Amino acid sequence: MEVTRAFIVRPFGTQGGIDFDRVERELIAPALTAAGIEGRTTLEITRQGNIREDMFRLLVLSDLVIADLSIHNANVFYELGIRHGLRDRHTLLMRAKDTQDKYPFDLQTDRYGQYDPANPAAALPGFIESLRATLADTNKDSPVFKLLPRLTPHDRAALMIVPFDFQEEVEIAQKAGRAGDLRLLAQEVRGFEWGSAGLRIVGDAQFRIKALAGAKETFELLRGLDSNDFQANYRLGTIYQKLAARALGHDSKLDAITRSEQAINRVLARTMPPNDRDETPKESAERRFHRAEGHSLLGSNAKTRWIDDWQAAASPDAQREAALRSPHLGSAIQHYLDGFAEDLDSFYAGINALAMLTIQINLAKALPDVWAESFDDGDAAIAALKTGERRAGRLAAALNLAVGNDDKVVRKGEKFDIWKEISRADLSFLTAEKPAQAGNAYRRGLANAGPFEIDAARRNLLLFRELGVLSANVEASLREMNQAAPDKPAELPVRVILFTGHMLDTPRRDKNDPRFPNTQEAIAAARKMIEKAVKDEMNERGGVAFGIAGGACGSDILFHEVCNALGVSTQLMLALPEAQFQAESVNHGGVDWVMRYQQLCQRVTPRVLAESKDLPRWLAGKKDYDIWQRNNLWMMFNALAAQPRYLTLVALYNREKDPDGPGGTAHLVHVAADWGFKTVELDARQLLKAGGT
């Protein structure tokens, strides 16, 4: 999860008979550690310089501020006042018991965590709970914001300076569509003061390349810091809605839809019109745009529930009856209408409202008895149907203007929008009296569309086909779509193998403590174990889509060679450029291994993580972290980003031997288990039993 940061506001040294350094050492610091929170004091930033700038920034940026008000200390009161003036919540006050200084008048009604200055550690259990409760509390604790309920907190993002080289790494990964690299960056950015702003940049990049699993994880981290984070909820509403469409099981689909609806409703609650002031035209337009998007997403979720109500019915007739009876049909129509009403430029909401209304009208005409079931009498049913037809006519007329179908009502200078082009074709499909008109509209509208956009339009038409609505228009339109992009749904891989294992012992290793000796017998034993493990995975349901491994002499190269012999493709991921990696991790194996490495690089184009062993400038301050740990995480997140149903880590590993250093086999075995990989450990002790010289 995202690292929570605390800033400690307190006196220093011994004052008023209280050793405040001891209080931090025995109470505050252990409590922060137990709660998984990182903390800093003014004293630490004093040592580093720029105290005023850093102090102001940390008082605003910190997720939690702890203030010790045991004595009257001007600096503590000043810093607490800044916090209360800029942040509305997550400030924890504490005091020593029986202190001589009275409570400050303005803070007498506040709650305090108390401790015994003679034994601060005794208050540790209760203080840990206070930390967690303060962070979880959504109520305001600032007297300033309580007194002025319409005051809004300072925007933390304005003070977060995201390093430019980090932003460049995100941009490179986004433009290359590298979902795994973005997940790595989302992992690495946690813990920095600018971490949440960095996460937001990564999350937007993941969203743009449709890396939904990673984007969900990133925006949920941001929502963990603020459950009402507008952008996080806005994105999650769409992300969960799209994940529902990919869900494998019914329960998983409904869970994703529910989470989407919860996120959208949080957005709608945040975008109500203000009742204490007039909006500017820009504010009103932006708010209505977001509300239109929110209602459209609710409409899409209701549409998904509606499809579930009828698609599994036993026969086409039963499907049509169930589709018309489903309450989610009317709900979807209303949500789409609400979205279009909020913003008449929201042609997506309008087109979908018209499409669902068209289905309802056609089914009602074809199944009048089923339609009449929801009304008190036949006259009411007929009147409702006529009302729906009139509404559909008005919608179609409004949409013709919204999408620019009237050449006399056109906005000049409007940028090309592929979705507007497709919406024009959708409108023609819904209103054309001749099938050829509908087909021609899609031929024009899809001329510049990619497979993703074409598939989205095709999915909607297939619903009309299943329900027997506008059948002639459907077939004419699908012919054009299938010529533009054949209907071949992309399938996610079933199983991916991530491999790690010991490389051949270097000449520097103690001869009396071998781990992977460079002998023919040990190499043959390693190959045999790796081959068996890969074959076992291939025999599992769905087989193996591909494998991922590094390129060190020994286990890595053997894995690539085994997979190649078995017809399994692999990805070669190197921490350093080919020549540097060869010098670092291959040359010590001898000429034969160098040749095998170079042949591997010719057969499988390697991906390279970094140009040198130095971490990027933005990452250099991360404690206990190096290029080899980064490389392990990079490979793992690229395996995760492929979104296979099953993930297997095969590790040739001797637990009895100390690791060479951070970032080795032991590290990847540990972190992969935390991310849900099935681990197949190959006992590398067998290499020592194989013997040989």
Side-chain angles (χ1 to χ4, degrees), residues 23 50 64-65 92 125 129 149 195 228 287 309 326 348 403 417 430 436 478 518 528 544 561 567 629 643:
V23 173
N50 298 321
L64 172 71
V65 164
L92 176 61
E129 289 304 312
N228 289 315
R287 182 181 59 77
D309 280 350
S326 171
Y348 172 84
V403 300
D417 182 345
L430 293 169
L478 286 176
N518 191 357
K528 184 177 180 180
V544 175
E561 291 175 345
Q629 290 165 299
Q643 299 183 66

Side-chain angles (χ1 to χ4, degrees), residues 159-281:
L159 293 178
M160 290 186 182
I161 302 173
V162 180
F164 185 67
D165 53 338
F166 172 80
Q167 297 183 55
E168 286 184 327
E169 281 205 50
V170 174
E171 183 181 11
I172 290 169
Q174 178 189 325
K175 289 187 174 179
R178 293 171 180 163
D181 292 22
L182 290 172
R183 287 188 83 164
L184 171 67
L185 293 170
Q187 175 76 14
E188 291 176 327
V189 77
R190 305 175 200 183
F192 290 105
E193 289 174 5
W194 47 272
S196 59
L199 273 176
R200 213 172 290 280
I201 293 171
V202 174
D204 279 339
Q206 291 170 316
F207 185 82
R208 291 189 188 102
I209 67 169
K210 302 176 179 64
L212 299 180
K216 179 196 77 170
E217 181 183 298
T218 300
F219 284 112
E220 283 291 5
L221 283 169
L222 288 167
R223 211 179 75 78
L225 296 175
D226 178 3
S227 60
N228 289 315
D229 185 302
F230 178 81
Q231 186 202 21
N233 282 305
Y234 188 62
R235 290 295 195 213
L236 287 169
T238 302
I239 290 165
Y240 279 116
Q241 187 258 330
K242 293 184 180 298
L243 287 174
R246 299 182 180 182
L248 296 175
H250 180 71
D251 289 344
S252 297
K253 178 183 287 188
L254 289 182
D255 178 71
I257 292 172
T258 301
R259 290 179 184 275
S260 172
E261 290 168 346
Q262 290 171 340
I264 297 162
N265 284 323
R266 288 190 289 265
V267 169
L268 292 176
R270 287 281 302 273
T271 52
M272 294 293 290
N275 54 19
D276 59 333
R277 62 182 178 84
D278 293 330
E279 290 180 299
T280 66

Side-chain angles (χ1 to χ4, degrees), residues 220-438:
E220 283 291 5
L221 283 169
L222 288 167
R223 211 179 75 78
L225 296 175
D226 178 3
S227 60
N228 289 315
D229 185 302
F230 178 81
Q231 186 202 21
N233 282 305
Y234 188 62
R235 290 295 195 213
L236 287 169
T238 302
I239 290 165
Y240 279 116
Q241 187 258 330
K242 293 184 180 298
L243 287 174
R246 299 182 180 182
L248 296 175
H250 180 71
D251 289 344
S252 297
K253 178 183 287 188
L254 289 182
D255 178 71
I257 292 172
T258 301
R259 290 179 184 275
S260 172
E261 290 168 346
Q262 290 171 340
I264 297 162
N265 284 323
R266 288 190 289 265
V267 169
L268 292 176
R270 287 281 302 273
T271 52
M272 294 293 290
N275 54 19
D276 59 333
R277 62 182 178 84
D278 293 330
E279 290 180 299
T280 66
K282 182 179 179 181
E283 288 174 332
S284 177
E286 184 174 328
R287 182 181 59 77
R288 288 186 174 279
F289 169 80
H290 290 310
R291 290 187 65 79
E293 289 287 300
H295 283 298
S296 296
L297 286 170
L298 289 176
S300 295
N301 287 334
K303 180 179 174 181
T304 300
R305 293 181 186 274
W306 168 69
I307 293 170
D308 278 353
D309 280 350
W310 60 264
Q311 208 160 44
S315 67
D317 287 343
Q319 284 183 324
R320 287 154 61 84
E321 291 179 9
L324 185 56
R325 286 192 176 105
S326 171
H328 297 301
L329 175 58
S331 177
I333 292 170
Q334 190 58 56
H335 282 306
Y336 284 131
L337 288 172
D338 289 343
F340 193 48
E342 287 282 359
D343 182 2
L344 293 178
D345 276 334
S346 179
F347 52 83
Y348 172 84
I351 284 289
N352 277 278
L354 181 59
M356 299 297 284
L357 193 54
T358 300
I359 289 174
Q360 186 183 60
I361 291 168
N362 278 267
L363 290 179
K365 288 180 176 179
L367 303 167
D369 292 340
V370 176
W371 173 250
E373 291 173 359
S374 300
F375 300 92
D376 292 335
D377 54 56
D379 290 341
I382 293 171
L385 180 57
K386 289 182 177 179
T387 298
E389 289 179 312
R390 288 193 295 270
R391 181 172 293 121
R394 291 193 295 270
L395 259 179
L399 283 165
N400 269 299
L401 297 179
V403 300
N405 272 355
D406 190 322
D407 59 4
K408 297 297 184 182
V409 187
V410 179
R411 292 173 179 167
K412 295 181 180 179
E414 195 170 54
K415 293 182 179 179
F416 176 80
D417 182 345
I418 186 59
W419 293 110
K420 180 170 279 192
E421 296 298 314
I422 293 174
S423 293
R424 288 189 180 118
D426 290 337
L427 183 57
S428 294
F429 161 76
L430 293 169
T431 58
E433 296 181 359
K434 297 178 181 179
Q437 290 178 309

